[in-house]
Amino acid sequence: MISDIQQIRSFNREVTRRIGVLHHQFLGRNRPVGESRLLFEIGTVGKEVRALRTKLGLDSGYVSRLLRSLEKQGLVETVAAPRDARARVARLTLSGLKERQELDRRSDDAATSLLTPLDKNQRHRLLAAMAEVERLLGVGDLKISKEPADSPLANWCLAQYYAFLEDRFEEGYDPAQGQRTDSKEFSPPEGVFLVARRGMEPVGCGALKSAQPGIGEIKRLWVAKSTRGLGLGQQLLSALEKEARLLGMSAIRLDTNRSLTEAKALYLKNGYVEVQRFNDDPYPDFFFEKTLT
Amino acid sequence: MISDIQQIRSFNREVTRRIGVLHHQFLGRNRPVGESRLLFEIGTVGKEVRALRTKLGLDSGYVSRLLRSLEKQGLVETVAAPRDARARVARLTLSGLKERQELDRRSDDAATSLLTPLDKNQRHRLLAAMAEVERLLGVGDLKISKEPADSPLANWCLAQYYAFLEDRFEEGYDPAQGQRTDSKEFSPPEGVFLVARRGMEPVGCGALKSAQPGIGEIKRLWVAKSTRGLGLGQQLLSALEKEARLLGMSAIRLDTNRSLTEAKALYLKNGYVEVQRFNDDPYPDFFFEKTLT
DNA sequence: ATCATTATCTGACTTTAGTCAGATAAATAT
DNA sequence: ATATTTATCTGACTAAAGTCAGATAATGAT
């Protein structure tokens, strides 16, 4: 029987080898990898040089030299950044865009070539397994942190949350119909707003407010589709309960819609018990409460 | 909805990036990658330089130089090959072995570090998904070819096949008890022996012999555990039927044990129909025949 | 106005990863 | 015995990838 560690090492070896070969075959035509990476990273609308540097993790001098080389090839032009004339923005020229498109096309071809030997069922299995590996490898850098409840990040998460509800609720969802909450209620010292990130990307959120003295209420618990099944909902819930304890709350209540079966299961698993309806919000069907110990 | 190609590209990007970082953190301490690869490939018992060259796909001069560098560091020594004084064998010295062990340990640590953020269930899912990806990516280089039925390769496959039967049959399996077949029967012009490989590694086999004039018999159909679920059994069966047609056979018969449910399903799916027992071999429970068109 | 900081660029350098054309010596074929 | 082939090595070369120490110019802080 192959051990867990052997399985991982074998995966690492085989998969990187295979993808490396693929990359070489399809992309490694004539341009050094550094230049191709840069061409890609600049994107269709251009990007500041400092952004390129941090994103690719390269030395400033090195990036500069790569840009000069791409400029000489007529693929890139750099102009001063609009607000800060020290910084520069690199943009693709017309032929740079064409070149990037070509790289993009080849990258697609490389991806396609992995599917061609497979039948329909096998393709489906491969894609599912790839998604699973990618998701699970991402668990390591899930981080939960407090954010100002009125920050662009928090608002972005809320927009995702509302879109999700709109999609999931049989009756649709209109934020204006729901119970209105001022972002101040989710701010210290009354409450808190947590955002979960994978790397830089926000993938979940949750908010705590004070419902009555000593009783907290959890709202806006959202987990991005790409991150479901990784226990992030549980992590957020635990983190919110911890915050509630720190705020001296002795109980937490929350409500949920009948369509959100995973959420209901999560609450039950965490010792929440069903109670009488405690608001007249039209969306929730179930009301829960838990005493914090 | 993320497209298939986007999913694959995202997988390629994320997984290679992540494994690359890991590799760098754990292994990329102070030695160039080329030297580490060589250190690894030499193995604990030493290896001929030409083998190193072909295995790693490197230029002869380059390998030579890498070996000199490792020699200077006291990690490797080269001696003339026992039978051919032109060739040389590279062997690890004591400190070379230690160094390799250290690399091995770090590689294990790197693998382990992927598992640590996961709970038991997630670990299981990650490992399963990795195995699935690895297997399915390997489908592309499955190759079936004729082999001499008495070659070491064929015998290796047969040994695997017998071990599999021993493991699978309720009553165990002893090759000496089964119907005896001379390897000549599986050789042209009477029959054929096919071996399936993934890359270099043999992962399946199947044999065809002449049972009666114009009637072929398929024996020794084996698919390695690591390759099951990829349709290799089907490929081997189709290839054997094709060979039978080329040999002018008008029908094929075969037998199988009740424990080999996948095999039975495969035969039924391919139009084989159950017939009367046609031998007194103690192992088979079912007997099939198919008319070739 | 002055000073420190930030963003980029340039020149000079290094290491890594190779390639290629012989040179050398042993083995094999004739 | 001689010629050819094979396996390795050495010297001379190149390209890619990156590092580091200033130089320069714009910005922000005091």
Side-chain angles (χ1 to χ4, degrees), chain A residues 9-10 18 108 134 230, chain B residues 9-10 108 122 134 141:
Chain A
R9 285 183 60 175
S10 157
R18 187 168 284 277
D108 278 357
E134 207 181 332
L230 302 181
Chain B
R9 286 183 60 175
S10 158
D108 278 357
Q122 291 172 335
E134 207 180 331
D141 41 39

Side-chain angles (χ1 to χ4, degrees), chain B residues 20 22 37 49 63 67 79 91 120 122 143 151-152 200 203-204 217 235 237 246 256:
Chain B
L22 212 62
R37 287 216 297 159
V49 173
V63 169
L67 284 172
V79 293
R91 265 204 326 244
K120 201 178 155 192
Q122 291 172 335
K143 295 243 159 58
S151 63
M200 278 290 90
V203 291
E217 183 169 347
Q235 280 188 48
L237 183 60
L246 290 174
T256 193

Side-chain angles (χ1 to χ4, degrees), chain A residues 4-5 7 9-10 12 18-19 40 104 108 112 122 125 127 132 134-137 141 229-230, chain B residues 4-5 7 9-10 12 18-19 40 104 108 112 122 125-127 132 134-135 137 141 229-230:
Chain A
D4 294 359
I5 289 179
Q7 169 60 64
R9 285 183 60 175
S10 157
N12 289 358
R18 187 168 284 277
I19 295 176
F40 231 97
D104 212 29
D108 278 357
T112 305
Q122 291 171 336
R125 279 162 54 201
L127 290 164
E132 179 92 333
E134 207 181 332
R135 277 151 35 86
L136 287 164
L137 287 183
D141 41 38
L230 302 181
Chain B
D4 293 359
I5 290 179
Q7 169 60 65
R9 286 183 60 175
S10 158
N12 289 358
R18 189 168 282 278
I19 294 176
F40 231 97
D104 212 29
D108 278 357
T112 305
Q122 291 172 335
R125 279 161 55 199
L126 178 63
L127 291 164
E132 179 93 334
E134 207 180 331
R135 278 150 35 87
L137 286 182
D141 41 39
L230 303 181

Side-chain angles (χ1 to χ4, degrees), chain A residues 53-70:
Chain A
R53 220 168 37 218
T54 52
K55 183 84 191 211
L56 297 176
L58 298 176
D59 175 86
S60 133
Y62 187 33
V63 168
S64 184
R65 219 173 298 281
L66 287 172
L67 284 172
R68 288 304 82 67
S69 165
L70 289 171

Side-chain angles (χ1 to χ4, degrees), chain B residues 241-260:
Chain B
E241 289 180 357
K242 194 174 159 196
E243 292 297 331
R245 283 195 195 87
L246 290 174
L247 290 173
M249 295 167 174
S250 59
I252 288 190
R253 66 187 206 184
L254 51 82
D255 60 41
T256 193
N257 182 282
R258 66 188 179 284
S259 306
L260 304 176

Side-chain angles (χ1 to χ4, degrees), chain A residues 1 3-20 22-23 40 103-105 107-112 114-115 117-118 122-123 125-141 198 225 228-231, chain B residues 1 3-12 14-20 22-23 40 103-105 107-112 114-115 117-119 122-123 125-141 198 225 228-231:
Chain A
M1 202 45 205
S3 85
D4 294 359
I5 289 179
Q6 285 306 311
Q7 169 60 64
I8 291 182
R9 285 183 60 175
S10 157
F11 174 87
N12 289 358
R13 208 179 324 115
E14 280 305 304
V15 171
T16 49
R17 188 184 58 77
R18 187 168 284 277
I19 295 176
L22 210 63
H23 231 254
F40 231 97
L103 282 178
D104 212 29
R105 205 184 53 70
S107 217
D108 278 357
D109 290 351
T112 305
L114 291 180
L115 289 178
L118 303 179
Q122 291 171 336
R123 285 178 197 204
R125 279 162 54 201
L126 178 63
L127 290 164
M130 280 181 162
E132 179 92 333
V133 169
E134 207 181 332
R135 277 151 35 86
L136 287 164
L137 287 183
V139 171
D141 41 38
R198 181 170 49 198
K225 202 169 178 184
R228 278 174 216 159
L230 302 181
Chain B
M1 200 48 204
S3 85
D4 293 359
I5 290 179
Q6 284 307 310
Q7 169 60 65
I8 290 181
R9 286 183 60 175
S10 158
F11 174 87
N12 289 358
E14 281 305 305
V15 171
T16 49
R17 186 184 59 77
R18 189 168 282 278
I19 294 176
L22 212 62
H23 231 255
F40 231 97
L103 283 177
D104 212 29
R105 205 184 54 70
S107 216
D108 278 357
D109 289 352
T112 305
L114 291 180
L115 289 178
L118 303 180
D119 66 32
Q122 291 172 335
R123 284 178 197 204
R125 279 161 55 199
L126 178 63
L127 291 164
M130 280 182 162
E132 179 93 334
V133 169
E134 207 180 331
R135 278 150 35 87
L136 287 164
L137 286 182
V139 171
D141 41 39
R198 180 170 49 198
K225 202 169 179 183
R228 278 175 217 158
L230 303 181

